[in-house]
Amino acid sequence: MDPVAEAQNAPDFRFELFDTCVLKNSPSLVGIILRTYHDFNSHEPIADCLIIAQEGVPDGILQSFLASGIPPKGYVFIRFAKQEFGHSLLSERSIQLVSRTFAIGDSVKRNAGDSMIGTVVSIFDSYVLEPVCSTSHSSSYPRQKSFEFHTGFGDCNEACVPRLPDYLSHPLRHALLYDVPGDELKRADDFEPGDYVVERDYLGVVQDHDIDAVLYLKNGTVVMVENALELELVVPDFRQHLVALPELDDLRRPDVPAYQVGGKAFIPTDHLTRGQFVTTNHRNLRNGRWLVGEYDPACDAYGHVLDVRTKRAHIKWLCPNAYIPRNLGDRPPSALRPYDNLSSYSNPRDLRRTKGLTLLDRGQRPRSSDSKCSADVNTGQDLDAGDQVRFRDQSGAFVKYQGTGHGQYNRISKDVTFGFDMNEFIVFYSKQNVQVRWQDGSVAEQPSVMLQPYVMPEQELCPGDIISLKEDSIQVAVGKPETTATAFNEMLYLQGDYILRPQKVGVIQAVNARERLVRVRWFLQPTVSLIQQGNLLQRGAYFGPISDEIQDVSLYEVMAHAALMRKRRDIVILPPQHLPVHSILGVSQRLDSFDEEKFGSALLSWTTRPSGMDMHTYLRALAKPIAIRDLKDSSFSPADFHNTPDWVGEIVDLGLDGLLTVRLCGSPQCEEIRVPWERVLIIVDDEAAVEFPPGAPGSFVDEEFPDLEYLSEGSDISAMEETIEYDGGERMDNESGDEGWSTDADEMEIDAETRANNINNRMHVEATTPPSSNTPDTVLRERGLTEDESSQKQVETSSLTTKLQNSIPSSPPEQSSLPKAPSSSSSHPQLSSTITNLISLSKSQTEPPPSFLVLDTPPPPDQFHSADASSSSAPSASFLKRVHREHRILATSLPPTQIYIRTYESRLDLLRAVILGPPDTPYEFAPFLIDLYLPATYPAQPPIAHFHSWTSGLGRINPNLYEEGKICLSLLGTWPGRGIQGESDTWSEKANLLQVLLSLMGLVLVKRPFYNEAGFEGYEGEGAYQVESLLYSEKAYVLARGFVRFALVEGVRAVEDVLAWVYLVGSRIGGEKAEEREMEVDGDGDGDEGAAKGKAALLPERPGLEAQQRPELLGKLVERAKALMEYSSSCTEEERDELVDGMGRQNAEAFMRPLSQGAIVMLRRHLDVLEKAFLVGA
């Protein structure tokens, strides 16, 4: 079966972004899909463009699309190959897939249900080409038309064999060239936006360009028009509905009406190409430069484009060659002319390229096999239908493509076309086979249409990636001695100025995607330091030789770092390959002093430079350790300098031996080299080539780039919108139908109680104690707050308040908002002093802690914003009044045993919340620590929330909860979400803190968190992305057990009473002793098994005591996790696809598959600590 037909008949087939397709009722009308219903990255308002209704679409659907830019389900938005055919919204039923293309480095899957992904490592593409021009007849008179555009190719004869698929046709099929390999072709245009160039040892990227265009008019004259922007395309009269036309600019319009040239309208051209039929105005012709003939006012102002050239390229200069001495003023100008004499030549043969300006040709391959490089990589040409190309070797192509039937190359002499080379072709369509390296290490080749693109927010690890082992990593604060090094601590590392030194670094050889195991080959003695939260590889890094040792480890034990994530097709800056010794000595000499601990090799967009350091000095500093090492290496022999850009290249392969294959695409020979990772000085990423991305800390902007602007901090935040429905289609916080939160205190409290009751009922919260009311109003009164007696509700302070405040350790506030580093015990099953103290506290507790409490101790050092001194001026009365109201709501309306809040008498603008993960979710029983800061303008502005992530560098535990502490929620103003029926879910003064907390518990900590990812919300009900969702849930489950371990072993200040009460075994209310409860487990009361089961198993609840019993979640967690591990280790292959709950049972509460081997390895490590804590505490 034809691969295209087989792919489109697959049950999980869907059209993807950039697929090439054709209209079924117009089989020559080929186009590219630009927008789909499921690709949320393409969902934005429609740009100014030509839209034609090539097929009938219901008016309501069309209008909805034009307003939102989102194709309805079952529709796609297509750009046709020829610009004058515009765009169209089409039903998927009306189009046929033609081809699908990938680039090397793309991730793919065989089908939606496969756990394993692969990486495209090589491409084999071929093209069907349409000639732009033909010679219809010869003539000795140069002014007489002797060639044709898109006509005059002759008809098929008896020797012609049909070579197009049944679903395609072409009016010039006899003239088409078939199955032309991509490596024989090159793009016809040069110096286009996005192209990389090198000039005077400086790398830059073309951001825009000005062009000159030459027209061939119907009277045989040739003119370079005055302004190429005044050339416009003719939209043919298709007898179809014209939906939208591009807005007209201020330029002068053509002098002839559209109908006179057989069209319906004129549009400005997006991309001018040779052979296009265009119109203009007489002024543009009259003021042009005439190459053949002279201006004739009687000649109509339309014709065909003979030539298009870039007359001025606007370039953003990125990086210099670090090994070449230079001054600050040596940077090339931002506008360059690629041709010396474009404005003055009379014969096209005399055109001269500007010397020293090199265009990086990323489509070429090395001319000869290099014995040093084992990788045979074809990067493909990245060409779409409608693109125009030339042969790299025209003479060879003329010989190769001859015959008696289809596909003859009729080469056109420049003498016929006034010296211009019109041997140019239009891509009709392409075919592509790809070579894929799968996660299991196998390599296979297959048609690209049989594969699905895999694009996920979190990158999957694949063979060739560099990772480190988490357990063997240490970190030290910048500027501190090595003796202060501690074990890896995620919160410190992600928020503070720390250096991470992984002790074990290796290359992934294979990944068992289903069992979440990775096979790693370790470097022998790497010296690797990571800074800037893993985004920079500190200068002087050395990976060294790689060992033969290969080890299988859990995927949850390894960390990937941005600074080590090289990708195929990355443009990289290297030490030059050919330099004399004196140049290397110049680099190795001492530089001016700078803080070398704060910079290193990275993505260019993440590069930070010390103040006053220019980019050249920065790169020389990076290159200095490499130059010194080269001079000491006896096998190193520098070559003679030659003037080619051999210091910039493109990564084409990631070796399993830890070496990169880099193609020096600016070199005339296009040679390839294999280099260790530390020789990459800078990676020039796409973000840096356009503008610097959000989050880049102090990305370089200095005298070299004074006009650059950064994006805002949160502009690329991806998270859920608050529109998720639960339990019968109703929101868990039941917002629909009410009038919002009133500013009146009584209404706020009544509404808050209603919301709390609703969420309690829907989440089946097992209450163990009624909500406490412990808000000391006296604290607020002392600060000058008074309220009307009719609206006051005095909240009595329990006698327990003083006891609990006294039980919480007090310490002076520290000027730090970071948690302490973990003790060495965090990696071993020995109990820490923290958990021992919690056990002692649990034994002394005779009453449940209040859900809300004001502490008389200062905020702990790790409290978000605690390091910021309180405002020197007293809080306003309105602020204190609002805080009072918030306290009263929290004291009466928090869901019992699910959310606990602490605030501070000395800092009423700070709050700390513990949210316990809801049962029957991956987060069950886990503590989620959220700090809230109320700005002085509260409630006009929303609170600022900070999440304490304890994932140990293994990624996010939830799409909305970031490792660095960011929380994405529309109610917090960190995500532009919309509510039910279009109602805004953004913050307003009617909203309050209880809403925020209920939203986090009910809308974030959900059963299937994967679908909280932006763009994936609508797929949960459709059953799409089930494999990805289940893998995400397993990861969240394992990480959540680690949250419990961290909270109990490392401790969380200000909520010790909560942790002791909800997790540990202690005294019972009413005098019930632990020993008596142990007896009940046995059932018959003889006590022979009660003690053991009472400590190691879940203590059963007795009717009538539910409101008095302690939650003892640690015992439940241990027992459930052990049962799940036991079932996961013994279940059959068929059972591994069934969903189970947290105890390995198949029931309505199931939310995950049986655990993978990698998950069991990590979970067992957590349980070793937690079970011992439970046994000792019990």
Side-chain angles (χ1 to χ4, degrees):
M1 181 183 291
D2 176 56
V4 173
E6 184 178 353
Q8 198 158 354
N9 290 332
D12 60 346
F13 171 81
R14 70 181 189 185
F15 286 101
E16 301 288 352
L17 217 59
F18 308 123
D19 279 353
T20 300
C21 57
V22 65
L23 271 175
K24 290 181 178 179
N25 66 354
S26 299
S28 63
L29 202 54
V30 176
I32 310 297
I33 294 178
L34 295 185
R35 299 189 184 203
T36 66
Y37 166 76
H38 57 267
D39 191 273
F40 64 92
N41 287 322
S42 65
H43 295 171
E44 56 186 23
I46 293 293
D48 193 27
C49 65
L50 171 66
I51 302 178
I52 300 173
Q54 297 289 354
E55 290 283 338
V57 174
D59 188 63
I61 290 178
L62 181 60
Q63 294 304 320
S64 173
F65 168 72
L66 293 175
S68 67
I70 304 174
K73 195 171 183 180
Y75 288 81
V76 294
F77 187 58
I78 289 178
R79 171 182 59 80
F80 291 105
K82 295 185 177 180
Q83 292 181 52
E84 57 268 31
F85 283 53
H87 306 71
S88 190
L89 180 69
L90 297 171
S91 167
E92 293 181 355
R93 296 188 299 272
S94 67
I95 59 175
Q96 163 71 43
L97 178 69
V98 174
S99 63
R100 176 172 293 168
T101 58
F102 296 103
I104 63 167
D106 283 351
S107 296
V108 295
K109 294 183 75 170
R110 293 189 177 97
N111 56 71
D114 196 351
S115 300
M116 183 168 61
I117 70 168
T119 303
V120 176
V121 296
S122 197
I123 291 174
F124 310 97
D125 49 352
S126 62
Y127 297 87
V128 176
L129 306 177
E130 170 195 341
V132 167
C133 184
S134 70
T135 51
S136 56
H137 60 275
S138 60
S139 173
S140 59
Y141 182 53
R143 295 280 298 274
Q144 183 177 346
K145 186 175 181 181
S146 57
F147 54 92
E148 301 279 352
F149 291 95
H150 310 291
T151 58
F153 294 104
D155 298 322
C156 292
N157 53 49
E158 62 276 3
C160 296
V161 177
R163 300 179 67 177
L164 288 176
D166 294 338
Y167 46 79
L168 282 174
S169 70
H170 195 284
L172 305 176
R173 62 183 183 276
H174 183 69
L176 300 179
L177 298 188
Y178 296 89
D179 300 325
V180 179
D183 58 4
E184 296 182 6
L185 303 172
K186 64 179 179 179
R187 197 187 65 205
D189 300 318
D190 56 2
F191 297 97
E192 290 286 302
D195 285 345
Y196 287 93
V197 296
V198 174
E199 203 275 345
R200 284 193 288 166
D201 281 294
Y202 229 108
L203 173 69
V205 61
V206 178
Q207 293 193 311
D208 198 0
H209 67 160
D210 306 322
I211 61 172
D212 274 335
V214 176
L215 287 192
Y216 174 74
L217 305 180
K218 70 176 185 178
N219 65 353
T221 58
V222 178
V223 59
M224 179 183 289
V225 297
E226 180 186 34
N227 188 350
L229 295 178
E230 294 185 19
L231 301 179
E232 297 201 350
L233 296 176
V234 180
V235 179
D237 189 356
F238 300 105
R239 308 296 180 190
Q240 305 288 357
H241 178 54
L242 197 61
V243 178
L245 278 171
E247 291 186 9
L248 299 179
D249 52 34
D250 295 331
L251 299 175
R252 187 168 175 176
R253 313 256 51 88
D255 289 341
V256 296
Y259 70 84
Q260 184 174 327
V261 288
K264 194 171 187 177
F266 296 128
I267 59 170
T269 175
D270 293 333
H271 184 199
L272 202 62
T273 58
R274 297 170 184 86
Q276 282 180 328
F277 179 73
V278 296
T279 64
T280 187
N281 55 76
H282 279 275
R283 178 190 54 77
N284 202 22
L285 298 180
R286 185 174 57 253
N287 295 338
R289 192 166 68 87
W290 290 85
L291 302 178
V292 177
E294 58 188 16
Y295 173 67
D296 181 359
C299 181
D300 291 325
Y302 56 79
H304 287 85
V305 177
L306 266 186
D307 194 52
V308 180
R309 302 275 172 174
T310 296
K311 67 177 178 181
R312 186 181 296 105
H314 302 276
I315 301 171
K316 174 182 177 181
W317 298 108
L318 302 170
C319 295
N321 180 354
Y323 281 64
I324 301 299
R326 62 189 313 113
N327 299 317
L328 284 177
D330 289 343
R331 184 167 63 92
S334 59
L336 287 178
R337 296 181 179 273
Y339 298 90
D340 286 337
N341 60 337
L342 187 62
S343 61
S344 60
Y345 76 92
S346 57
N347 189 322
R349 294 183 176 90
D350 298 332
L351 269 174
R352 296 189 307 272
R353 284 280 293 269
T354 301
K355 292 183 179 180
L357 182 61
T358 302
L359 181 69
L360 297 191
D361 185 354
R362 303 177 70 181
Q364 67 176 328
R365 298 184 66 186
R367 296 184 181 180
S368 60
S369 178
D370 189 342
S371 59
K372 295 183 293 183
C373 294
S374 60
D376 184 16
V377 178
N378 188 356
T379 59
Q381 294 301 316
D382 192 22
L383 298 170
D384 289 327
D387 289 346
Q388 295 195 194
V389 297
R390 296 180 182 273
F391 281 101
R392 292 183 180 274
D393 179 5
Q394 289 199 23
S395 299
F398 179 70
V399 174
K400 179 178 179 180
Y401 296 99
Q402 293 298 323
T404 57
H406 285 323
Q408 297 185 47
Y409 179 11
N410 298 311
R411 192 175 181 184
I412 301 173
S413 170
K414 292 182 181 180
D415 295 333
V416 176
T417 54
F418 309 105
F420 294 100
D421 187 356
M422 295 303 297
N423 292 287
E424 199 162 302
F425 299 83
I426 303 171
V427 174
F428 179 44
Y429 81 100
S430 65
K431 293 185 290 185
Q432 188 187 78
N433 278 18
V434 293
Q435 191 176 77
V436 180
R437 177 181 290 162
W438 297 98
Q439 282 182 308
D440 64 4
S442 62
V443 178
E445 180 182 331
Q446 60 188 112
S448 60
V449 293
M450 301 298 294
L451 299 171
Q452 299 178 0
Y454 181 80
V455 181
M456 287 292 127
E458 294 189 7
Q459 182 176 346
E460 286 275 345
L461 294 176
C462 292
D465 288 339
I466 300 288
I467 52 87
S468 68
L469 198 62
K470 181 190 67 173
E471 291 293 329
D472 292 326
S473 298
I474 61 173
Q475 65 188 43
V476 62
V478 170
K480 299 293 184 181
E482 293 296 320
T483 54
T484 63
T486 64
F488 171 70
N489 178 277
E490 179 189 24
M491 292 298 291
L492 282 173
Y493 181 57
L494 291 177
Q495 297 179 29
D497 206 356
Y498 278 82
I499 303 171
L500 180 67
R501 295 205 171 97
Q503 304 303 296
K504 295 202 74 172
V505 180
V507 184
I508 293 179
Q509 307 295 299
V511 178
N512 187 330
R514 179 64 182 268
E515 296 301 333
R516 314 311 282 168
L517 297 171
V518 290
R519 180 161 293 174
V520 185
R521 186 178 177 189
W522 302 107
F523 289 102
L524 286 172
Q525 292 182 322
T527 304
V528 175
S529 297
L530 299 162
I531 51 179
Q532 293 287 348
Q533 295 82 41
N535 287 287
L536 275 70
L537 177 65
Q538 193 176 42
R539 70 186 291 264
Y542 180 67
F543 289 86
I546 197 167
S547 72
D548 294 328
E549 175 192 358
I550 295 179
Q551 180 183 6
D552 288 340
V553 297
S554 168
L555 193 62
Y556 303 113
E557 294 181 283
V558 301
M559 291 191 296
H561 309 276
L564 301 181
M565 297 305 291
R566 311 291 194 255
K567 295 185 299 183
R568 293 167 177 86
R569 302 233 74 178
D570 278 344
I571 296 292
V572 293
I573 306 299
L574 306 167
Q577 306 306 304
H578 306 84
L579 272 181
V581 173
H582 65 78
S583 294
I584 300 173
L585 285 172
V587 175
S588 65
Q589 291 173 354
R590 186 182 68 83
L591 298 165
D592 293 336
S593 61
F594 54 86
D595 189 353
E596 65 179 62
E597 290 185 322
K598 292 190 176 182
F599 76 100
S601 302
L603 297 176
L604 181 58
S605 60
W606 259 99
T607 302
T608 59
R609 281 186 277 154
S611 176
M613 178 178 283
D614 63 272
M615 192 62 190
H616 182 248
T617 305
Y618 180 88
L619 284 172
R620 287 175 74 85
L622 290 180
K624 178 179 177 180
I626 298 175
I628 294 174
R629 191 180 301 125
D630 287 344
L631 291 173
K632 292 180 178 179
D633 187 354
S634 58
S635 63
F636 177 76
S637 55
D640 291 335
F641 174 78
H642 60 87
N643 190 25
T644 58
D646 60 348
W647 51 274
V648 57
E650 177 184 38
I651 296 176
V652 296
D653 189 53
L654 311 181
L656 299 182
D657 57 357
L659 296 179
L660 301 169
T661 300
V662 178
R663 182 170 294 169
L664 304 178
C665 44
S667 168
Q669 292 77 27
C670 188
E671 59 183 308
E672 289 181 352
I673 57 174
R674 303 196 75 214
V675 297
W677 288 52
E678 65 267 17
R679 291 188 76 88
V680 173
L681 303 179
I682 290 291
I683 301 172
V684 182
D685 51 325
D686 291 337
E687 288 82 359
V690 181
E691 56 185 334
F692 294 104
S699 301
F700 54 88
V701 170
D702 59 9
E703 69 284 347
E704 294 186 85
F705 306 100
D707 54 345
L708 294 180
E709 296 181 358
Y710 299 131
L711 300 177
S712 61
E713 171 73 12
S715 60
D716 71 336
I717 295 173
S718 59
M720 58 169 283
E721 297 183 8
E722 281 191 273
T723 58
I724 302 175
E725 299 182 355
Y726 299 90
D727 290 346
E730 298 182 30
R731 281 179 65 115
M732 301 178 78
D733 52 356
N734 196 23
E735 282 195 4
S736 58
D738 59 32
E739 296 299 320
W741 290 89
S742 171
T743 56
D744 179 81
D746 293 335
E747 292 184 14
M748 289 176 69
E749 292 173 4
I750 293 172
D751 208 2
E753 291 174 1
T754 302
R755 292 168 183 265
N757 290 335
N758 287 338
I759 199 167
N760 290 345
N761 294 335
R762 298 188 185 281
M763 298 185 68
H764 312 290
V765 176
E766 299 179 1
T768 63
T769 179
S772 303
S773 300
N774 293 317
T775 305
D777 287 354
T778 54
V779 174
L780 296 166
R781 292 199 199 97
E782 289 171 359
R783 296 183 177 221
L785 178 64
T786 61
E787 284 194 305
D788 188 86
E789 287 293 324
S790 62
S791 65
Q792 283 194 2
K793 290 186 178 181
Q794 295 297 333
V795 183
E796 296 183 356
T797 304
S798 168
S799 61
L800 180 63
T801 303
T802 304
K803 297 179 182 178
L804 288 174
Q805 288 176 340
N806 292 336
S807 70
I808 298 174
S810 177
S811 63
E814 301 175 16
Q815 295 304 309
S816 172
S817 59
L818 305 173
K820 63 181 183 299
S823 63
S824 59
S825 62
S826 63
S827 302
H828 305 284
Q830 292 81 12
L831 292 185
S832 68
S833 59
T834 300
I835 197 168
T836 303
N837 293 337
L838 287 177
I839 291 173
S840 299
L841 177 59
S842 71
K843 299 297 184 182
S844 66
Q845 288 175 311
T846 57
E847 296 180 31
S851 297
F852 175 78
L853 190 63
V854 180
L855 304 177
D856 61 4
T857 55
D862 64 344
Q863 172 81 41
F864 183 62
H865 264 277
S866 66
D868 301 334
S870 298
S871 175
S872 57
S873 59
S876 66
S878 60
F879 178 85
L880 291 174
K881 182 176 180 179
R882 178 56 186 251
V883 169
H884 183 212
R885 291 176 176 175
E886 296 281 6
H887 287 188
R888 289 162 59 182
I889 294 172
L890 295 174
T892 58
S893 303
L894 287 171
T897 73
Q898 288 289 289
I899 301 178
Y900 295 86
I901 303 290
R902 299 292 180 260
T903 187
Y904 312 96
E905 181 178 326
S906 60
R907 291 291 302 271
L908 294 176
D909 57 337
L910 303 180
L911 299 95
R912 169 157 288 186
V914 174
I915 302 177
L916 297 177
D920 298 316
T921 71
Y923 308 111
E924 61 180 11
F925 308 148
F928 290 83
L929 190 67
I930 310 291
D931 286 346
L932 297 170
Y933 166 68
L934 309 181
T937 53
Y938 182 83
Q941 289 183 321
I944 300 174
H946 179 85
F947 167 62
H948 289 259
S949 175
W950 304 319
T951 61
S952 299
L954 299 179
R956 285 180 283 169
I957 195 171
N958 184 282
N960 301 81
L961 305 176
Y962 285 66
E963 288 182 281
E964 66 270 25
K966 188 184 302 178
I967 299 176
C968 287
L969 201 66
S970 60
L971 196 57
L972 293 172
T974 52
W975 174 250
R978 297 293 296 176
I980 293 178
Q981 299 176 347
E983 177 190 356
S984 176
D985 272 335
T986 56
W987 178 265
S988 72
E989 294 193 26
K990 292 184 178 182
N992 61 34
L993 299 179
L994 180 64
Q995 276 183 278
V996 173
L997 297 170
L998 294 182
S999 295
L1000 288 170
M1001 182 170 66
L1003 298 173
V1004 174
L1005 303 178
V1006 294
K1007 182 172 289 190
R1008 287 173 285 274
F1010 171 82
Y1011 296 106
N1012 281 13
E1013 282 285 4
F1016 294 88
E1017 306 95 326
Y1019 292 109
E1020 183 174 5
E1022 301 178 7
Y1025 298 104
Q1026 290 190 42
V1027 170
E1028 290 79 9
S1029 175
L1030 291 170
L1031 290 175
Y1032 199 103
S1033 292
E1034 179 189 85
K1035 174 184 174 182
Y1037 174 84
V1038 174
L1039 294 178
R1041 306 314 99 188
F1043 273 38
V1044 180
R1045 173 182 171 181
F1046 185 96
L1048 297 182
V1049 173
E1050 301 300 334
V1052 182
R1053 302 283 291 276
V1055 292
E1056 293 91 338
D1057 59 325
V1058 175
L1059 298 178
W1061 176 263
V1062 300
Y1063 285 107
L1064 302 176
V1065 177
S1067 299
R1068 301 303 198 280
I1069 299 176
E1072 185 182 16
K1073 296 181 180 179
E1075 291 80 7
E1076 295 172 1
R1077 293 282 292 141
E1078 292 166 8
M1079 297 287 288
E1080 295 176 13
V1081 178
D1082 187 39
D1084 58 2
D1086 59 6
D1088 56 320
E1089 298 177 348
K1093 291 186 178 180
K1095 294 177 181 178
L1098 172 63
L1099 299 176
E1101 298 181 354
R1102 198 166 63 188
L1105 291 178
E1106 180 177 344
Q1108 297 182 359
Q1109 293 174 6
R1110 300 173 69 107
E1112 296 180 2
L1113 295 184
L1114 183 57
K1116 295 179 182 180
L1117 181 148
V1118 170
E1119 188 222 10
R1120 290 170 69 86
K1122 291 177 69 175
L1124 178 60
M1125 285 197 306
E1126 182 178 354
Y1127 175 79
S1128 301
S1129 299
S1130 61
C1131 63
T1132 64
E1133 192 64 31
E1134 291 76 17
E1135 291 173 329
R1136 294 190 65 78
D1137 291 325
E1138 301 293 333
L1139 297 187
V1140 297
D1141 67 1
M1143 290 193 72
R1145 301 173 301 194
Q1146 298 178 16
N1147 53 32
E1149 285 71 41
F1151 59 87
M1152 63 188 299
R1153 286 190 310 200
L1155 296 175
S1156 65
Q1157 295 179 30
I1160 291 175
V1161 169
M1162 203 64 197
L1163 184 57
R1164 185 173 288 115
R1165 293 191 178 183
H1166 293 324
L1167 291 186
D1168 286 345
V1169 177
L1170 295 177
E1171 187 172 17
K1172 183 170 184 179
F1174 176 74
L1175 292 174
V1176 173

